[in-house]
CSV table of all heavy atoms in Angstrom, one decimal:
chain,number,residue,atom,x,y,z
A,1,VAL,N,0.9,-1.2,0.0
A,1,VAL,CA,0.0,0.0,0.0
A,1,VAL,C,0.9,1.3,0.0
A,1,VAL,O,0.5,2.2,-0.7
A,1,VAL,CB,-0.9,0.0,1.2
A,1,VAL,CG1,-1.7,1.4,1.4
A,1,VAL,CG2,-2.0,-1.1,1.0
A,2,VAL,N,2.0,1.2,0.8
A,2,VAL,CA,2.8,2.5,0.9
A,2,VAL,C,3.4,2.8,-0.6
A,2,VAL,O,3.5,4.0,-1.0
A,2,VAL,CB,3.9,2.3,2.0
A,2,VAL,CG1,4.9,1.3,1.6
A,2,VAL,CG2,4.5,3.7,2.3
A,3,GLU,N,3.7,1.8,-1.3
A,3,GLU,CA,4.3,2.0,-2.6
A,3,GLU,C,3.2,2.4,-3.6
A,3,GLU,O,3.4,3.2,-4.5
A,3,GLU,CB,5.1,0.7,-3.1
A,3,GLU,CG,6.3,0.5,-2.3
A,3,GLU,CD,7.0,-0.8,-2.4
A,3,GLU,OE1,6.3,-1.8,-2.1
A,3,GLU,OE2,8.1,-0.9,-2.9
A,4,GLU,N,2.1,1.7,-3.5
A,4,GLU,CA,0.9,2.1,-4.3
A,4,GLU,C,0.5,3.7,-4.1
A,4,GLU,O,0.3,4.4,-5.1
A,4,GLU,CB,-0.3,1.3,-4.0
A,4,GLU,CG,-0.2,-0.2,-4.6
A,4,GLU,CD,-0.5,-0.3,-6.1
A,4,GLU,OE1,-0.6,0.8,-6.7
A,4,GLU,OE2,-0.4,-1.4,-6.6
A,5,LEU,N,0.6,4.1,-2.8
A,5,LEU,CA,0.3,5.5,-2.6
A,5,LEU,C,1.3,6.4,-3.2
A,5,LEU,O,1.0,7.5,-3.7
A,5,LEU,CB,0.2,5.7,-1.1
A,5,LEU,CG,-1.0,5.0,-0.3
A,5,LEU,CD1,-0.9,5.2,1.1
A,5,LEU,CD2,-2.3,5.6,-0.9
A,6,ALA,N,2.6,5.9,-3.1
A,6,ALA,CA,3.6,6.7,-3.8
A,6,ALA,C,3.4,6.9,-5.3
A,6,ALA,O,3.6,8.0,-5.9
A,6,ALA,CB,5.0,6.2,-3.4
A,7,ILE,N,3.0,5.8,-5.9
A,7,ILE,CA,2.7,5.9,-7.3
A,7,ILE,C,1.5,6.8,-7.5
A,7,ILE,O,1.5,7.6,-8.6
A,7,ILE,CB,2.4,4.4,-7.9
A,7,ILE,CG1,3.5,3.5,-7.8
A,7,ILE,CG2,1.7,4.5,-9.3
A,7,ILE,CD1,4.6,3.8,-8.9
A,8,LYS,N,0.5,6.8,-6.7
A,8,LYS,CA,-0.6,7.7,-6.9
A,8,LYS,C,-0.3,9.2,-6.8
A,8,LYS,O,-0.8,10.0,-7.5
A,8,LYS,CB,-1.8,7.4,-5.9
A,8,LYS,CG,-2.4,6.0,-6.0
A,8,LYS,CD,-2.7,5.6,-7.4
A,8,LYS,CE,-3.9,6.3,-8.0
A,8,LYS,NZ,-4.2,5.8,-9.4
A,9,VAL,N,0.7,9.5,-5.9
A,9,VAL,CA,1.2,10.8,-5.8
A,9,VAL,C,2.0,11.2,-7.0
A,9,VAL,O,1.7,12.3,-7.6
A,9,VAL,CB,2.1,10.9,-4.6
A,9,VAL,CG1,2.7,12.4,-4.5
A,9,VAL,CG2,1.3,10.7,-3.3
A,10,PHE,N,2.8,10.3,-7.5
A,10,PHE,CA,3.5,10.5,-8.7
A,10,PHE,C,2.5,10.9,-9.9
A,10,PHE,O,2.7,11.8,-10.7
A,10,PHE,CB,4.5,9.4,-9.0
A,10,PHE,CG,5.2,9.5,-10.3
A,10,PHE,CD1,6.4,10.2,-10.4
A,10,PHE,CD2,4.7,8.9,-11.5
A,10,PHE,CE1,7.1,10.2,-11.6
A,10,PHE,CE2,5.3,9.0,-12.7
A,10,PHE,CZ,6.6,9.6,-12.8
A,11,GLU,N,1.6,10.0,-10.0
A,11,GLU,CA,0.7,10.2,-11.1
A,11,GLU,C,-0.2,11.5,-10.9
A,11,GLU,O,-0.5,12.2,-12.0
A,11,GLU,CB,-0.4,9.0,-11.1
A,11,GLU,CG,0.2,7.6,-11.5
A,11,GLU,CD,-0.7,6.5,-11.2
A,11,GLU,OE1,-1.8,6.7,-10.6
A,11,GLU,OE2,-0.5,5.4,-11.9
A,12,TRP,N,-0.6,11.8,-9.7
A,12,TRP,CA,-1.3,13.1,-9.5
A,12,TRP,C,-0.5,14.3,-10.0
A,12,TRP,O,-1.0,15.2,-10.7
A,12,TRP,CB,-1.6,13.3,-8.1
A,12,TRP,CG,-2.1,14.6,-7.7
A,12,TRP,CD1,-3.2,15.3,-8.4
A,12,TRP,CD2,-1.7,15.5,-6.7
A,12,TRP,NE1,-3.3,16.6,-7.7
A,12,TRP,CE2,-2.4,16.7,-6.8
A,12,TRP,CE3,-0.6,15.4,-5.7
A,12,TRP,CZ2,-2.1,17.7,-5.8
A,12,TRP,CZ3,-0.4,16.3,-4.9
A,12,TRP,CH2,-1.1,17.5,-5.0
A,13,ARG,N,0.9,14.3,-9.7
A,13,ARG,CA,1.7,15.4,-10.0
A,13,ARG,C,1.9,15.4,-11.6
A,13,ARG,O,2.1,16.5,-12.2
A,13,ARG,CB,3.2,15.4,-9.3
A,13,ARG,CG,2.9,15.5,-7.8
A,13,ARG,CD,2.1,16.6,-7.4
A,13,ARG,NE,2.7,17.9,-7.9
A,13,ARG,CZ,1.9,18.9,-8.0
A,13,ARG,NH1,0.6,19.0,-7.7
A,13,ARG,NH2,2.5,20.1,-8.5
A,14,GLN,N,1.9,14.3,-12.1
A,14,GLN,CA,2.1,14.1,-13.6
A,14,GLN,C,0.8,14.6,-14.4
A,14,GLN,O,0.9,15.3,-15.4
A,14,GLN,CB,2.4,12.7,-14.0
A,14,GLN,CG,3.9,12.4,-13.7
A,14,GLN,CD,4.7,12.7,-14.9
A,14,GLN,OE1,4.4,12.3,-16.0
A,14,GLN,NE2,5.7,13.4,-14.8
A,15,THR,N,-0.4,14.1,-13.9
A,15,THR,CA,-1.6,14.2,-14.8
A,15,THR,C,-2.6,15.3,-14.2
A,15,THR,O,-3.4,15.8,-15.0
A,15,THR,CB,-2.4,12.9,-14.7
A,15,THR,OG1,-2.8,12.6,-13.4
A,15,THR,CG2,-1.4,11.8,-15.2
A,16,GLY,N,-2.5,15.6,-12.9
A,16,GLY,CA,-3.5,16.5,-12.4
A,16,GLY,C,-4.9,15.9,-12.1
A,16,GLY,O,-5.8,16.7,-11.8
A,17,LEU,N,-5.0,14.6,-12.3
A,17,LEU,CA,-6.3,14.0,-12.1
A,17,LEU,C,-6.5,13.7,-10.6
A,17,LEU,O,-5.6,13.4,-9.8
A,17,LEU,CB,-6.4,12.6,-12.7
A,17,LEU,CG,-6.2,12.5,-14.2
A,17,LEU,CD1,-6.3,11.1,-14.7
A,17,LEU,CD2,-7.4,13.4,-14.9
A,18,PRO,N,-7.7,14.1,-10.1
A,18,PRO,CA,-8.0,14.1,-8.6
A,18,PRO,C,-7.8,12.8,-7.8
A,18,PRO,O,-7.7,12.7,-6.7
A,18,PRO,CB,-9.5,14.6,-8.5
A,18,PRO,CG,-9.7,15.4,-9.8
A,18,PRO,CD,-8.9,14.6,-10.8
A,19,VAL,N,-8.1,11.7,-8.6
A,19,VAL,CA,-8.0,10.4,-8.0
A,19,VAL,C,-6.7,10.1,-7.3
A,19,VAL,O,-6.7,9.5,-6.1
A,19,VAL,CB,-8.4,9.3,-9.0
A,19,VAL,CG1,-7.3,9.1,-10.0
A,19,VAL,CG2,-8.5,7.9,-8.3
A,20,GLY,N,-5.6,10.5,-7.8
A,20,GLY,CA,-4.3,10.3,-7.1
A,20,GLY,C,-4.2,11.2,-5.9
A,20,GLY,O,-3.7,10.7,-4.9
A,21,LEU,N,-4.8,12.4,-5.8
A,21,LEU,CA,-4.7,13.3,-4.7
A,21,LEU,C,-5.6,12.7,-3.6
A,21,LEU,O,-5.2,12.6,-2.4
A,21,LEU,CB,-5.2,14.7,-5.0
A,21,LEU,CG,-5.4,15.6,-3.9
A,21,LEU,CD1,-4.0,15.9,-3.2
A,21,LEU,CD2,-5.9,17.0,-4.4
A,22,ILE,N,-6.8,12.2,-4.0
A,22,ILE,CA,-7.8,11.6,-3.0
A,22,ILE,C,-7.2,10.4,-2.3
A,22,ILE,O,-7.2,10.2,-1.2
A,22,ILE,CB,-9.1,11.3,-3.7
A,22,ILE,CG1,-9.8,12.6,-4.2
A,22,ILE,CG2,-10.1,10.6,-2.8
A,22,ILE,CD1,-10.9,12.3,-5.2
A,23,ALA,N,-6.6,9.5,-3.2
A,23,ALA,CA,-6.0,8.3,-2.7
A,23,ALA,C,-4.9,8.6,-1.7
A,23,ALA,O,-4.6,7.9,-0.6
A,23,ALA,CB,-5.6,7.4,-3.7
A,24,SER,N,-4.0,9.6,-2.1
A,24,SER,CA,-2.9,9.9,-1.2
A,24,SER,C,-3.3,10.6,0.1
A,24,SER,O,-2.5,10.6,1.0
A,24,SER,CB,-1.9,10.7,-2.1
A,24,SER,OG,-2.4,12.0,-2.5
A,25,MET,N,-4.5,11.2,0.1
A,25,MET,CA,-4.9,12.0,1.3
A,25,MET,C,-5.5,10.9,2.3
A,25,MET,O,-5.2,11.1,3.5
A,25,MET,CB,-6.0,12.9,0.9
A,25,MET,CG,-5.4,14.2,0.2
A,25,MET,SD,-6.7,15.4,-0.2
A,25,MET,CE,-7.5,15.7,1.3
A,26,PHE,N,-6.2,9.9,1.8
A,26,PHE,CA,-7.0,9.1,2.8
A,26,PHE,C,-6.3,7.7,2.9
A,26,PHE,O,-6.5,7.0,3.9
A,26,PHE,CB,-8.4,9.0,2.3
A,26,PHE,CG,-9.2,10.2,2.4
A,26,PHE,CD1,-9.5,11.0,1.3
A,26,PHE,CD2,-9.7,10.7,3.6
A,26,PHE,CE1,-10.1,12.2,1.3
A,26,PHE,CE2,-10.3,11.9,3.7
A,26,PHE,CZ,-10.6,12.7,2.6
A,27,GLY,N,-5.5,7.3,1.9
A,27,GLY,CA,-4.9,6.0,2.0
A,27,GLY,C,-4.0,5.8,3.0
A,27,GLY,O,-4.0,4.7,3.7
A,28,PRO,N,-3.2,6.8,3.5
A,28,PRO,CA,-2.3,6.6,4.7
A,28,PRO,C,-3.0,6.3,6.0
A,28,PRO,O,-2.3,5.8,6.9
A,28,PRO,CB,-1.5,8.0,4.7
A,28,PRO,CG,-1.6,8.4,3.3
A,28,PRO,CD,-2.9,8.1,2.8
A,29,LEU,N,-4.3,6.6,6.0
A,29,LEU,CA,-5.1,6.3,7.2
A,29,LEU,C,-5.1,4.7,7.5
A,29,LEU,O,-5.3,4.3,8.6
A,29,LEU,CB,-6.4,6.8,7.2
A,29,LEU,CG,-6.5,8.4,7.1
A,29,LEU,CD1,-8.0,8.8,7.0
A,29,LEU,CD2,-5.9,9.0,8.3
A,30,ARG,N,-4.9,4.0,6.4
A,30,ARG,CA,-5.0,2.6,6.5
A,30,ARG,C,-3.6,1.9,7.0
A,30,ARG,O,-3.5,0.7,7.3
A,30,ARG,CB,-5.4,1.9,5.3
A,30,ARG,CG,-6.9,2.3,4.9
A,30,ARG,CD,-7.3,1.4,3.6
A,30,ARG,NE,-7.1,0.0,3.8
A,30,ARG,CZ,-7.9,-0.9,4.4
A,30,ARG,NH1,-9.2,-0.3,4.8
A,30,ARG,NH2,-7.8,-2.2,4.5
A,31,LEU,N,-2.6,2.8,6.9
A,31,LEU,CA,-1.2,2.2,7.2
A,31,LEU,C,-1.0,2.1,8.7
A,31,LEU,O,-1.3,2.9,9.5
A,31,LEU,CB,-0.2,3.1,6.5
A,31,LEU,CG,-0.2,3.2,5.0
A,31,LEU,CD1,0.8,4.3,4.6
A,31,LEU,CD2,0.1,1.9,4.3
A,32,PRO,N,-0.2,1.0,9.1
A,32,PRO,CA,0.4,1.0,10.4
A,32,PRO,C,1.3,2.3,10.7
A,32,PRO,O,1.7,2.9,9.7
A,32,PRO,CB,1.1,-0.2,10.4
A,32,PRO,CG,0.7,-1.1,9.3
A,32,PRO,CD,0.1,-0.2,8.3
A,33,GLN,N,1.4,2.6,11.9
A,33,GLN,CA,2.2,3.8,12.3
A,33,GLN,C,3.6,3.8,11.6
A,33,GLN,O,4.0,4.9,11.0
A,33,GLN,CB,2.3,3.9,13.7
A,33,GLN,CG,3.1,5.1,14.2
A,33,GLN,CD,2.4,6.5,13.8
A,33,GLN,OE1,1.2,6.6,13.8
A,33,GLN,NE2,3.2,7.4,13.2
A,34,GLY,N,4.2,2.8,11.6
A,34,GLY,CA,5.6,2.6,11.0
A,34,GLY,C,5.6,3.0,9.5
A,34,GLY,O,6.5,3.8,9.1
A,35,GLU,N,4.7,2.4,8.8
A,35,GLU,CA,4.7,2.6,7.3
A,35,GLU,C,4.1,3.9,7.0
A,35,GLU,O,4.5,4.6,6.1
A,35,GLU,CB,3.8,1.5,6.7
A,35,GLU,CG,4.5,0.1,6.7
A,35,GLU,CD,3.8,-0.7,5.6
A,35,GLU,OE1,3.0,-0.3,4.8
A,35,GLU,OE2,4.4,-1.9,5.5
A,36,ARG,N,3.3,4.4,7.9
A,36,ARG,CA,2.7,5.9,7.7
A,36,ARG,C,3.9,6.9,7.8
A,36,ARG,O,4.0,7.8,6.9
A,36,ARG,CB,1.6,6.1,8.7
A,36,ARG,CG,0.8,7.4,8.4
A,36,ARG,CD,-0.3,7.7,9.4
A,36,ARG,NE,-1.1,6.5,9.7
A,36,ARG,CZ,-1.4,6.0,10.8
A,36,ARG,NH1,-0.9,6.6,11.9
A,36,ARG,NH2,-2.1,4.9,10.9
A,37,SER,N,4.7,6.7,8.7
A,37,SER,CA,5.8,7.5,8.9
A,37,SER,C,6.9,7.5,7.7
A,37,SER,O,7.3,8.5,7.2
A,37,SER,CB,6.6,7.2,10.2
A,37,SER,OG,5.7,7.5,11.4
A,38,ARG,N,7.0,6.2,7.3
A,38,ARG,CA,7.9,6.1,6.2
A,38,ARG,C,7.3,6.8,4.9
A,38,ARG,O,8.0,7.3,4.1
A,38,ARG,CB,8.0,4.5,6.0
A,38,ARG,CG,9.2,4.1,5.1
A,38,ARG,CD,9.7,2.6,5.4
A,38,ARG,NE,8.6,1.7,5.3
A,38,ARG,CZ,8.5,0.9,4.2
A,38,ARG,NH1,9.4,1.0,3.2
A,38,ARG,NH2,7.5,0.1,4.1
A,39,PHE,N,6.0,6.6,4.8
A,39,PHE,CA,5.3,7.3,3.6
A,39,PHE,C,5.6,8.8,3.6
A,39,PHE,O,6.1,9.3,2.6
A,39,PHE,CB,3.9,7.0,3.6
A,39,PHE,CG,3.1,7.7,2.4
A,39,PHE,CD1,3.2,7.4,1.2
A,39,PHE,CD2,2.3,8.8,2.8
A,39,PHE,CE1,2.5,8.1,0.2
A,39,PHE,CE2,1.5,9.5,1.8
A,39,PHE,CZ,1.7,9.2,0.6
A,40,PHE,N,5.3,9.4,4.7
A,40,PHE,CA,5.4,10.9,4.8
A,40,PHE,C,6.8,11.4,4.8
A,40,PHE,O,7.1,12.4,4.3
A,40,PHE,CB,4.6,11.4,6.1
A,40,PHE,CG,3.2,11.4,5.9
A,40,PHE,CD1,2.4,10.5,6.7
A,40,PHE,CD2,2.4,12.1,5.0
A,40,PHE,CE1,1.0,10.5,6.6
A,40,PHE,CE2,1.1,12.2,4.8
A,40,PHE,CZ,0.3,11.3,5.6
A,41,ASN,N,7.7,10.5,5.3
A,41,ASN,CA,9.1,11.1,5.5
A,41,ASN,C,9.9,10.8,4.2
A,41,ASN,O,10.8,11.5,3.9
A,41,ASN,CB,9.8,10.4,6.6
A,41,ASN,CG,9.2,10.9,8.0
A,41,ASN,OD1,8.7,12.0,8.1
A,41,ASN,ND2,9.2,10.0,9.0
């Protein structure tokens, strides 16, 4: 999931489509604390 979310952020910056932004905003809520920190850092 953490890598899929990174891809969605990359896609959002590339295309401007909202789905990537939405996924990257709410997807991290499903991550365990350690992976959530790894994603944001």
Side-chain angles (χ1 to χ4, degrees):
V1 168
V2 69
E3 290 167 299
E4 287 283 2
L5 291 174
I7 293 286
K8 299 312 289 185
V9 173
F10 176 86
E11 291 175 343
W12 169 55
R13 298 311 302 158
Q14 280 270 309
T15 67
L17 296 180
V19 63
L21 176 61
I22 295 170
S24 61
M25 287 176 62
F26 295 100
L29 297 176
R30 294 188 56 86
L31 296 174
Q33 180 60 44
E35 290 202 359
R36 192 181 308 131
S37 298
R38 199 154 58 98
F39 172 73
F40 284 114
N41 294 333

